[in-house]
């Protein structure tokens, strides 16, 4: 803070925020004393790289001379539709403490300038509990449900606990004795709720500081519950590379691009904190050599003009993230107690798994099943219509008949590889039990499978894609089989278990252009599925 004027400190607090409610009060306080604020995080799913957004902003607050409290909202985690079961609450809160502090250390934030609090340290007190009762006598069910709409898990028949959630978050502002609360813009309705109801209890309104939300890798909000949308802080280098490789990154599209957003909101602010000169993308000399960018706007401008290609952007972000995450990975890999903590806090993610009740369905039952081809439904489909996506030049929107009551809509990135009339009328093979995903606003209910040459390290993206060809005589709705495997597809694959990703890694083509899984032919009605010419190809 030394050498900074009041206006410079105020500007630093507001840097990169999407919205501030109470700007005048913020300025008034900062002209008189240090601003006191808190950031809270419910200890539910495992923190992912988007958590670096608030972490980097906390560094700004400290640099501006603010007094910052980090709240590990353990009780909130339980109240939010029991996302964190009571028996796991202590373990998950401990994991959050370790991982959040590790993130702060990586970006150079001194921990001695921060105050760390667990919600249950004060939320079970007599005074706080009495205020919860007082608030519940004032708040309508409509206002409680509306306030939590963007944060609390929404279900047809909500539990009372989820309706209490916004009230507790409002009371935290008073009991933590802060001037302001900091959070994502998805918290806005809770912030407005707090401004309305805290004065009813005789407490003052607080200032609210809001970060923009960072899109996930699929183009939607990055979420702990959507495995394909986010990068876990403990993902190894290979997993990270595969996720970045699959990220939605349409040439020239700067609006729905999770990689660009993350570069802007996280990596460049961290480069600044670490004193780095900018963003460097390493390339082979034959592809023009390394390129560097001093600021984010230069990256965005180059991408918008298609002077910077998706593969180069992905490689650069991958390298920067690996460097950022490696110290955190090493900390957990070298400490047996931390490994045990992760396994115990998140048993459904490959640690100590609980046995599912007999006859149980859904996530826990899926997690216990092997990640093999028996769980993926692949069917023959007949493409009955093809048109360009109205908002994405690189995407086709197809109607595909699978012999069901209605054709399915599937969105595919095949524009650069084939013309519409080359796809129309084709018999194709599709993965049909993936979770539907919106692609630029249109829900895609499956994936058209195709083969492409294997990626070469540092090389350009493949410019050849060949559709999988069902054997002659196949009809819509015919399903694949593999010798030695009893097919038993899930009704819908749970994306966080990454079953399809595991299966696709073992799909390829042999020397006869036939599709194989772990060296065994993938067939329809006993005949092999083939491709036109590609050998030893990737299939997705």
């Amino acid at each position: 803070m030394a050498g900074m004027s009041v206006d410079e400190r105020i500007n630093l607090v507001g840097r990169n925020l999407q919205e501030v409610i109470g700007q005048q009060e913020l300025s008034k306080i900062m002209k008189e004393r240090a601003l006191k604020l808190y950031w809270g995080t419910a200890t539910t799913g495992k923190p992912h790289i988007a958590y670096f957004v608030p972490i980097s902003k906390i560094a700004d607050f400290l640099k501006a001379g603010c007094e910052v409290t980090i709240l590990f909202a353990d009780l909130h985690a339980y109240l939010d539709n029991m996302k964190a079961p009571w028996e796991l609450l202590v373990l998950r809160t401990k994991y959050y403490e370790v991982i959040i502090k590790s993130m702060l250390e990586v970006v150079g934030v001194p921990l001695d300038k921060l105050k760390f609090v667990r919600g249950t340290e004060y939320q079970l007190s007599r005074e706080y509990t009495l205020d919860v009762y007082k608030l519940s006598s004032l708040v309508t069910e409509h206002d409680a449900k509306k306030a939590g709409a963007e944060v609390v898990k929404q279900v047809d028949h909500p539990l009372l606990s989820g309706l209490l959630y916004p009230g507790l978050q409002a009371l935290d502002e008073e009991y933590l004795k802060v001037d302001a609360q900091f959070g994502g813009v998805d918290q806005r309705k809770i912030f407005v709720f707090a401004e309305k109801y805290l004065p009813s209890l005789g407490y003052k309104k607080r200032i609210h500081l809001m970060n923009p939300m960072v899109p996930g890798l699929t183009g939607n909000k990055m979420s702990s519950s959507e495995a394909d949308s986010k990068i876990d802080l403990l993902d190894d280098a290979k997993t990270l590379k595969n996720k970045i490789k699959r990220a939605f990154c349409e040439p020239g599209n700067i609006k729905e691009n999770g990689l660009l957003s993350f570069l802007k909101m996280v990596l460049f602010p961290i480069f600044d904190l670490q004193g780095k000169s900018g963003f460097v993308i390493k390339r082979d000399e034959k592809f023009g050599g390394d390129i560097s960018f001093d600021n984010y706007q230069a990256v965005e401008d180059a991408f918008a003009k298609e002077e910077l290609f998706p593969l180069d952007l992905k490689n650069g972000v991958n390298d920067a993230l690996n460097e950022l995450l490696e110290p955190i990975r090493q900390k957990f890999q070298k400490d047996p107690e931390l490994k045990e903590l992760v396994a115990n806090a998140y048993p459904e993610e490959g640690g100590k798994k609980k046995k599912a009740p007999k006859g149980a369905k859904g996530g826990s039952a899926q997690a216990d099943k092997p990640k093999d081809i028996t769980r993926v439904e692949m069917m023959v489909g007949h493409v009955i219509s093809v048109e360009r996506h109205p908002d994405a030049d690189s995407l086709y929107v197809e109607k595909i008949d699978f012999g069901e009551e209605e054709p399915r809509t599937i969105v595919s990135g095949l524009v650069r590889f084939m013309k519409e009339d080359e796809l129309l009328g084709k018999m194709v093979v599709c993965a049909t039990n993936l979770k539907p995903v919106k692609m630029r606003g249109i829900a895609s209910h499956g994936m058209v499978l195709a083969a492409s040459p294997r990626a070469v390290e540092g090389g350009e993206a493949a410019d050849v894609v060949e559709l999988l060809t069902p054997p002659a005589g196949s009809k819509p709705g015919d399903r694949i089989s593999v010798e030695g495997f009893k097919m038993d597809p899930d009704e819908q694959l749970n994306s966080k278990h990454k079953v399809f990703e595991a299966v696709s890694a073992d799909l390829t083509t042999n020397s006869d252009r036939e599709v194989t899984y772990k060296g065994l032919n993938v067939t329809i009605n006993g005949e092999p599925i083939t491709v036109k010419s590609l050998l030893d190809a990737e299939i997705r």
Side-chain angles (χ1 to χ4, degrees):
M1 185 173 89
M4 294 179 67
S5 68
V6 172
D7 286 341
E8 287 174 332
R9 289 190 288 113
I10 291 172
N11 289 335
L12 184 57
V13 166
R15 181 173 72 168
N16 284 337
L17 293 179
Q18 182 166 322
E19 185 178 1
V20 175
I21 300 177
Q23 181 66 54
Q24 287 185 336
E25 181 67 12
L26 182 148
S27 299
K28 178 184 175 182
I29 291 172
M30 291 192 69
K31 288 175 182 177
E32 298 172 353
R33 59 172 173 81
L35 182 74
K36 299 177 181 179
L37 62 89
Y38 94 92
W39 171 66
T41 178
T43 54
T44 54
K46 292 169 74 174
H48 46 72
I49 58 167
Y51 277 64
F52 273 113
V53 176
I55 293 299
S56 61
K57 193 60 206 167
I58 285 169
D60 281 347
F61 295 147
L62 291 174
K63 190 175 180 181
C66 300
E67 296 178 12
V68 182
T69 296
I70 293 181
L71 170 66
F72 296 109
D74 47 358
L75 191 56
H76 291 72
Y78 178 71
L79 291 176
D80 186 2
N81 216 47
M82 293 187 290
K83 285 182 179 176
W86 192 261
E87 64 271 18
L88 297 180
L89 207 58
V90 173
L91 292 169
R92 290 193 176 179
T93 302
K94 186 176 180 181
Y95 174 73
Y96 263 69
E97 287 191 42
V98 174
I99 203 78
I100 295 294
K101 288 179 180 180
S102 298
M103 296 171 74
L104 290 162
E105 290 170 341
V106 164
V107 301
V109 175
L111 300 185
D112 58 353
K113 291 187 177 182
L114 291 163
K115 181 180 179 182
F116 298 93
V117 178
R118 294 189 184 193
T120 47
E121 291 175 11
Y122 65 90
Q123 290 167 347
L124 300 177
S125 68
R126 178 183 182 279
E127 295 77 14
Y128 189 94
T129 302
L130 183 57
D131 271 342
V132 172
Y133 286 134
K134 288 179 180 178
L135 200 57
S136 67
S137 71
L138 300 171
V139 177
T140 65
E141 184 240 5
H142 172 271
D143 282 2
K145 192 171 183 179
K146 179 181 178 182
E150 300 297 325
V151 178
V152 180
K153 184 176 180 180
Q154 299 299 295
V155 293
D156 291 336
H157 302 288
L159 297 173
L160 180 59
S161 59
L163 299 177
L164 292 174
Y165 188 109
L168 269 66
Q169 187 167 334
L171 288 173
D172 290 341
E173 297 179 348
E174 173 64 24
Y175 281 80
L176 290 172
K177 303 302 178 185
V178 295
D179 305 306
Q181 182 178 173
F182 165 59
V185 73
D186 60 339
Q187 305 269 335
R188 192 182 195 282
K189 291 179 181 178
I190 291 182
F191 293 164
V192 172
F193 173 94
E195 292 202 357
K196 177 180 179 179
Y197 282 104
L198 279 187
S200 299
L201 297 178
Y203 302 139
K204 67 178 182 179
K205 293 181 181 180
R206 264 58 179 196
I207 300 160
H208 294 105
L209 313 172
M210 285 165 272
N211 256 341
M213 302 306 293
V214 175
L217 301 179
T218 58
N220 301 313
K221 172 183 171 181
M222 193 174 290
S223 167
S224 295
S225 61
E226 294 288 342
D228 290 340
S229 79
K230 54 98 176 183
I231 292 170
D232 191 278
L233 294 164
L234 299 181
D235 279 344
D236 59 32
K238 182 179 179 181
T239 301
L240 172 64
K241 184 175 182 179
N242 287 335
K243 287 184 176 181
I244 294 290
K245 179 182 176 182
R246 294 194 301 269
F248 180 75
C249 189
E250 182 183 37
N253 183 351
I254 60 174
K255 292 184 178 180
E256 295 177 319
N257 191 317
L259 297 178
L260 282 178
S261 295
F262 193 76
L263 194 59
K264 177 181 181 180
M265 298 303 302
V266 177
L267 290 178
F268 267 99
I270 288 175
F271 294 157
D272 183 48
L273 287 169
Q274 295 177 334
K276 292 184 177 179
S277 57
F279 178 51
V280 178
I281 298 174
K282 296 179 180 179
R283 301 190 304 186
D284 194 285
E285 287 297 332
K286 66 181 180 181
F287 298 119
D290 296 352
I291 48 176
S292 62
F293 298 90
D294 294 332
N295 55 72
Y296 169 76
Q297 193 58 51
V299 181
E300 183 180 293
D301 290 344
F303 195 82
K305 296 175 184 176
E306 299 192 28
E307 296 170 353
L308 175 63
F309 299 105
L311 180 62
D312 291 330
L313 177 63
K314 289 181 177 184
N315 287 339
V317 171
N318 180 74
D319 290 345
L321 281 177
N322 261 320
E323 185 176 344
L324 184 64
L325 296 179
E326 187 58 23
I328 301 175
R329 294 176 188 141
Q330 289 298 319
K331 181 175 183 176
F332 277 76
Q333 288 172 3
K334 293 178 179 179
D335 190 328
E337 290 186 5
L338 291 182
K339 286 184 178 180
E340 183 73 7
L341 174 61
V342 178
N344 289 331
Y346 296 93
E348 72 278 13
E349 295 189 19
K352 294 182 177 179
K353 298 176 181 176
K354 293 183 177 182
K355 289 184 178 180
K358 189 174 181 179
K361 296 181 180 180
S364 59
Q366 283 194 12
D368 290 334
K369 295 171 68 176
K371 295 180 182 179
D372 63 25
I373 200 165
T374 62
R375 298 177 59 186
V376 181
E377 183 182 69
M378 297 185 196
M379 293 197 296
V380 175
H382 179 219
V383 182
I384 58 176
S385 75
V386 184
E387 58 185 25
R388 289 288 187 98
H389 193 298
D391 297 317
D393 291 338
S394 66
L395 301 177
Y396 281 137
V397 179
E398 305 116 10
K399 292 288 186 182
I400 302 181
D401 174 21
F402 293 101
E404 300 168 325
E405 289 185 4
E406 297 288 341
R408 296 195 192 193
T409 298
I410 293 183
V411 182
S412 303
L414 296 171
V415 171
R416 61 181 288 227
F417 303 108
M418 60 189 65
K419 297 178 181 178
E420 293 176 38
D421 58 5
E422 293 177 311
L423 185 56
L424 183 62
K426 285 277 189 183
M427 299 294 282
V428 293
V429 179
C430 302
T432 51
N433 65 337
L434 307 179
K435 183 177 180 180
V437 60
K438 281 194 174 181
M439 298 181 70
R440 300 295 294 274
I442 296 179
S444 181
H445 298 270
M447 179 187 296
V448 177
L449 298 177
S452 60
R454 292 193 179 278
V456 178
E457 188 74 22
E460 295 183 317
D463 57 2
V464 176
V465 163
E466 295 180 357
L467 298 174
L468 303 196
T469 303
S474 299
K475 60 184 184 298
D478 283 348
R479 287 168 167 77
I480 65 112
S481 61
V482 180
E483 185 177 357
F485 289 85
K486 183 179 179 180
M487 307 305 291
D488 184 24
D490 293 7
E491 183 174 347
Q492 183 180 99
L493 290 173
N494 188 327
S495 57
K496 74 178 181 180
H497 297 152
K498 304 178 186 177
V499 176
F500 180 76
E501 289 77 6
V503 170
S504 63
D506 290 314
L507 286 171
T508 186
T509 54
N510 62 20
S511 58
D512 293 321
R513 301 175 292 104
E514 297 168 341
V515 176
T516 65
Y517 173 72
K518 295 187 175 181
L520 300 170
N521 280 106
V522 180
T523 64
I524 292 173
N525 301 323
E527 297 296 323
I529 300 170
T530 59
V531 297
K532 184 178 180 180
S533 65
L534 295 174
L535 310 181
D536 191 30
E538 292 183 326
I539 294 175
R540 280 182 171 78

